[in-house]
mmCIF file of all heavy atoms in Angstrom:
data_model
loop_
_atom_site.group_PDB
_atom_site.id
_atom_site.type_symbol
_atom_site.label_atom_id
_atom_site.label_comp_id
_atom_site.label_asym_id
_atom_site.label_seq_id
_atom_site.Cartn_x
_atom_site.Cartn_y
_atom_site.Cartn_z
ATOM 1 N N ALA D 145 25.771 -4.571 38.748
ATOM 2 C CA ALA D 145 25.690 -4.303 40.257
ATOM 3 C C ALA D 145 25.358 -2.912 40.557
ATOM 4 O O ALA D 145 24.700 -2.502 41.417
ATOM 5 C CB ALA D 145 26.970 -4.660 40.994
ATOM 6 N N LYS D 146 25.902 -1.924 39.620
ATOM 7 C CA LYS D 146 25.662 -0.591 39.809
ATOM 8 C C LYS D 146 25.230 -0.119 38.396
ATOM 9 O O LYS D 146 26.176 0.066 37.354
ATOM 10 C CB LYS D 146 26.869 0.156 40.308
ATOM 11 C CG LYS D 146 26.644 1.662 40.533
ATOM 12 C CD LYS D 146 27.909 2.370 41.063
ATOM 13 C CE LYS D 146 27.706 3.791 41.281
ATOM 14 N NZ LYS D 146 28.814 4.486 41.772
ATOM 15 N N PRO D 147 23.992 0.145 38.091
ATOM 16 C CA PRO D 147 23.605 0.666 36.792
ATOM 17 C C PRO D 147 24.452 1.912 36.263
ATOM 18 O O PRO D 147 24.774 2.818 37.118
ATOM 19 C CB PRO D 147 22.168 0.984 36.883
ATOM 20 C CG PRO D 147 21.750 0.168 38.124
ATOM 21 C CD PRO D 147 22.827 0.132 39.029
ATOM 22 N N ASP D 148 24.620 1.947 35.022
ATOM 23 C CA ASP D 148 25.219 3.181 34.416
ATOM 24 C C ASP D 148 24.390 4.379 34.503
ATOM 25 O O ASP D 148 23.096 4.192 34.404
ATOM 26 C CB ASP D 148 25.697 2.854 32.959
ATOM 27 C CG ASP D 148 26.707 1.722 32.883
ATOM 28 O OD1 ASP D 148 27.664 1.685 33.693
ATOM 29 O OD2 ASP D 148 26.494 0.730 32.071
ATOM 30 N N THR D 149 24.974 5.510 34.700
ATOM 31 C CA THR D 149 24.041 6.810 34.666
ATOM 32 C C THR D 149 23.615 7.029 33.256
ATOM 33 O O THR D 149 22.685 7.838 33.139
ATOM 34 C CB THR D 149 24.909 7.847 35.389
ATOM 35 O OG1 THR D 149 26.285 7.973 34.620
ATOM 36 C CG2 THR D 149 25.197 7.505 36.754
ATOM 37 N N GLU D 150 24.440 6.788 32.271
ATOM 38 C CA GLU D 150 24.063 6.958 30.872
ATOM 39 C C GLU D 150 24.166 5.690 30.041
ATOM 40 O O GLU D 150 24.832 4.767 30.434
ATOM 41 C CB GLU D 150 25.049 8.010 30.298
ATOM 42 C CG GLU D 150 25.037 9.429 30.918
ATOM 43 C CD GLU D 150 25.899 10.360 30.191
ATOM 44 O OE1 GLU D 150 26.631 9.957 29.284
ATOM 45 O OE2 GLU D 150 26.067 11.414 30.701
ATOM 46 N N ARG D 151 23.387 5.661 29.026
ATOM 47 C CA ARG D 151 23.234 4.509 28.095
ATOM 48 C C ARG D 151 24.508 4.422 27.266
ATOM 49 O O ARG D 151 24.992 5.400 26.725
ATOM 50 C CB ARG D 151 22.087 4.639 27.236
ATOM 51 C CG ARG D 151 22.057 3.683 26.095
ATOM 52 C CD ARG D 151 20.645 3.309 25.612
ATOM 53 N NE ARG D 151 19.700 2.849 26.707
ATOM 54 C CZ ARG D 151 18.510 2.207 26.352
ATOM 55 N NH1 ARG D 151 18.128 2.259 25.146
ATOM 56 N NH2 ARG D 151 17.906 1.851 27.396
ATOM 57 N N LEU D 152 25.096 3.212 27.104
ATOM 58 C CA LEU D 152 26.202 3.062 26.341
ATOM 59 C C LEU D 152 25.765 2.482 25.006
ATOM 60 O O LEU D 152 24.806 1.818 24.857
ATOM 61 C CB LEU D 152 27.212 2.087 26.950
ATOM 62 C CG LEU D 152 27.737 2.485 28.336
ATOM 63 C CD1 LEU D 152 28.589 1.384 28.956
ATOM 64 C CD2 LEU D 152 28.475 3.815 28.139
ATOM 65 N N PRO D 153 26.547 2.793 23.966
ATOM 66 C CA PRO D 153 26.216 2.092 22.654
ATOM 67 C C PRO D 153 26.148 0.558 22.637
ATOM 68 O O PRO D 153 25.236 -0.032 21.868
ATOM 69 C CB PRO D 153 27.474 2.499 21.703
ATOM 70 C CG PRO D 153 27.967 3.712 22.342
ATOM 71 C CD PRO D 153 27.820 3.530 23.766
ATOM 72 N N GLU D 154 26.888 -0.092 23.401
ATOM 73 C CA GLU D 154 26.886 -1.538 23.451
ATOM 74 C C GLU D 154 25.967 -2.202 24.484
ATOM 75 O O GLU D 154 25.686 -3.458 24.333
ATOM 76 C CB GLU D 154 28.353 -2.025 23.660
ATOM 77 C CG GLU D 154 28.864 -1.703 25.050
ATOM 78 C CD GLU D 154 29.596 -0.476 25.058
ATOM 79 O OE1 GLU D 154 29.414 0.391 24.150
ATOM 80 O OE2 GLU D 154 30.512 -0.290 26.019
ATOM 81 N N LYS D 155 25.234 -1.426 25.302
ATOM 82 C CA LYS D 155 24.312 -2.048 26.302
ATOM 83 C C LYS D 155 23.477 -1.018 26.822
ATOM 84 O O LYS D 155 23.727 0.144 26.901
ATOM 85 C CB LYS D 155 25.217 -2.804 27.262
ATOM 86 C CG LYS D 155 25.816 -2.005 28.368
ATOM 87 C CD LYS D 155 26.492 -2.867 29.373
ATOM 88 C CE LYS D 155 26.833 -1.975 30.597
ATOM 89 N NZ LYS D 155 25.600 -1.599 31.511
ATOM 90 N N GLN D 156 22.387 -1.560 27.513
ATOM 91 C CA GLN D 156 21.515 -0.756 28.278
ATOM 92 C C GLN D 156 22.120 -0.519 29.725
ATOM 93 O O GLN D 156 22.890 -1.218 30.225
ATOM 94 C CB GLN D 156 20.158 -1.443 28.455
ATOM 95 C CG GLN D 156 19.429 -1.628 27.116
ATOM 96 C CD GLN D 156 18.229 -2.456 27.208
ATOM 97 O OE1 GLN D 156 17.385 -2.371 28.196
ATOM 98 N NE2 GLN D 156 17.809 -3.234 26.223
ATOM 99 N N GLU D 157 21.506 0.540 30.340
ATOM 100 C CA GLU D 157 22.048 0.969 31.676
ATOM 101 C C GLU D 157 21.933 -0.086 32.698
ATOM 102 O O GLU D 157 23.032 -0.206 33.435
ATOM 103 C CB GLU D 157 21.142 2.233 32.204
ATOM 104 C CG GLU D 157 21.232 3.472 31.358
ATOM 105 C CD GLU D 157 20.216 3.403 30.249
ATOM 106 O OE1 GLU D 157 19.573 2.396 29.872
ATOM 107 O OE2 GLU D 157 19.745 4.488 29.812
ATOM 108 N N THR D 158 21.023 -0.922 32.697
ATOM 109 C CA THR D 158 20.821 -1.890 33.762
ATOM 110 C C THR D 158 21.522 -3.189 33.586
ATOM 111 O O THR D 158 21.688 -3.965 34.398
ATOM 112 C CB THR D 158 19.429 -2.161 34.193
ATOM 113 O OG1 THR D 158 18.650 -2.625 33.065
ATOM 114 C CG2 THR D 158 18.782 -0.875 34.758
ATOM 115 N N HIS D 159 21.821 -3.435 32.171
ATOM 116 C CA HIS D 159 22.312 -4.853 31.800
ATOM 117 C C HIS D 159 23.810 -4.931 32.122
ATOM 118 O O HIS D 159 24.632 -3.957 31.881
ATOM 119 C CB HIS D 159 22.041 -5.125 30.343
ATOM 120 C CG HIS D 159 20.629 -5.323 30.070
ATOM 121 N ND1 HIS D 159 20.125 -5.479 28.737
ATOM 122 C CD2 HIS D 159 19.477 -5.542 30.816
ATOM 123 C CE1 HIS D 159 18.824 -5.631 28.699
ATOM 124 N NE2 HIS D 159 18.397 -5.690 30.058
ATOM 125 N N SER D 160 24.265 -6.079 32.483
ATOM 126 C CA SER D 160 25.754 -6.356 32.556
ATOM 127 C C SER D 160 26.176 -6.461 31.114
ATOM 128 O O SER D 160 25.452 -6.980 30.211
ATOM 129 C CB SER D 160 26.183 -7.558 33.358
ATOM 130 O OG SER D 160 25.685 -8.702 32.644
ATOM 131 N N LEU D 161 27.439 -6.250 30.920
ATOM 132 C CA LEU D 161 27.969 -6.439 29.547
ATOM 133 C C LEU D 161 27.996 -7.893 29.154
ATOM 134 O O LEU D 161 27.784 -8.277 27.959
ATOM 135 C CB LEU D 161 29.462 -5.764 29.508
ATOM 136 C CG LEU D 161 30.161 -5.778 28.169
ATOM 137 C CD1 LEU D 161 29.271 -5.092 27.138
ATOM 138 C CD2 LEU D 161 31.598 -5.101 28.286
ATOM 139 N N ASP D 162 28.454 -8.749 30.081
ATOM 140 C CA ASP D 162 28.303 -10.250 29.843
ATOM 141 C C ASP D 162 27.027 -10.694 29.442
ATOM 142 O O ASP D 162 26.943 -11.527 28.419
ATOM 143 C CB ASP D 162 28.807 -10.961 31.186
ATOM 144 C CG ASP D 162 30.256 -10.717 31.507
ATOM 145 O OD1 ASP D 162 31.096 -10.594 30.557
ATOM 146 O OD2 ASP D 162 30.552 -10.821 32.687
ATOM 147 N N ALA D 163 25.984 -10.261 29.963
ATOM 148 C CA ALA D 163 24.626 -10.765 29.611
ATOM 149 C C ALA D 163 24.343 -10.195 28.197
ATOM 150 O O ALA D 163 23.659 -10.932 27.428
ATOM 151 C CB ALA D 163 23.644 -10.179 30.678
ATOM 152 N N THR D 164 24.533 -8.925 27.985
ATOM 153 C CA THR D 164 24.359 -8.327 26.635
ATOM 154 C C THR D 164 24.914 -9.051 25.612
ATOM 155 O O THR D 164 24.393 -9.406 24.486
ATOM 156 C CB THR D 164 24.703 -6.882 26.705
ATOM 157 O OG1 THR D 164 23.935 -6.072 27.746
ATOM 158 C CG2 THR D 164 24.290 -6.204 25.293
ATOM 159 N N LYS D 165 26.387 -9.319 25.758
ATOM 160 C CA LYS D 165 27.038 -10.048 24.628
ATOM 161 C C LYS D 165 26.579 -11.502 24.554
ATOM 162 O O LYS D 165 26.586 -11.936 23.398
ATOM 163 C CB LYS D 165 28.541 -10.060 25.198
ATOM 164 C CG LYS D 165 29.215 -8.608 25.042
ATOM 165 C CD LYS D 165 29.091 -8.116 23.584
ATOM 166 C CE LYS D 165 29.666 -6.704 23.426
ATOM 167 N NZ LYS D 165 29.527 -6.178 22.095
ATOM 168 N N ALA D 166 26.265 -12.099 25.583
ATOM 169 C CA ALA D 166 25.722 -13.410 25.431
ATOM 170 C C ALA D 166 24.493 -13.614 24.841
ATOM 171 O O ALA D 166 24.154 -14.462 23.908
ATOM 172 C CB ALA D 166 25.570 -14.107 26.962
ATOM 173 N N SER D 167 23.591 -12.569 25.036
ATOM 174 C CA SER D 167 22.216 -12.479 24.367
ATOM 175 C C SER D 167 22.511 -12.166 22.870
ATOM 176 O O SER D 167 21.783 -12.722 22.013
ATOM 177 C CB SER D 167 21.388 -11.413 25.147
ATOM 178 O OG SER D 167 20.999 -11.633 26.362
#
Side-chain angles (χ1 to χ4, degrees):
K146 185 178 180 181
D148 298 312
T149 55
E150 294 183 2
R151 171 158 297 195
L152 303 176
E154 63 269 22
K155 76 178 193 71
Q156 297 174 35
E157 297 89 334
T158 60
H159 290 171
S160 71
L161 185 58
D162 288 329
T164 300
K165 290 301 181 184
S167 297

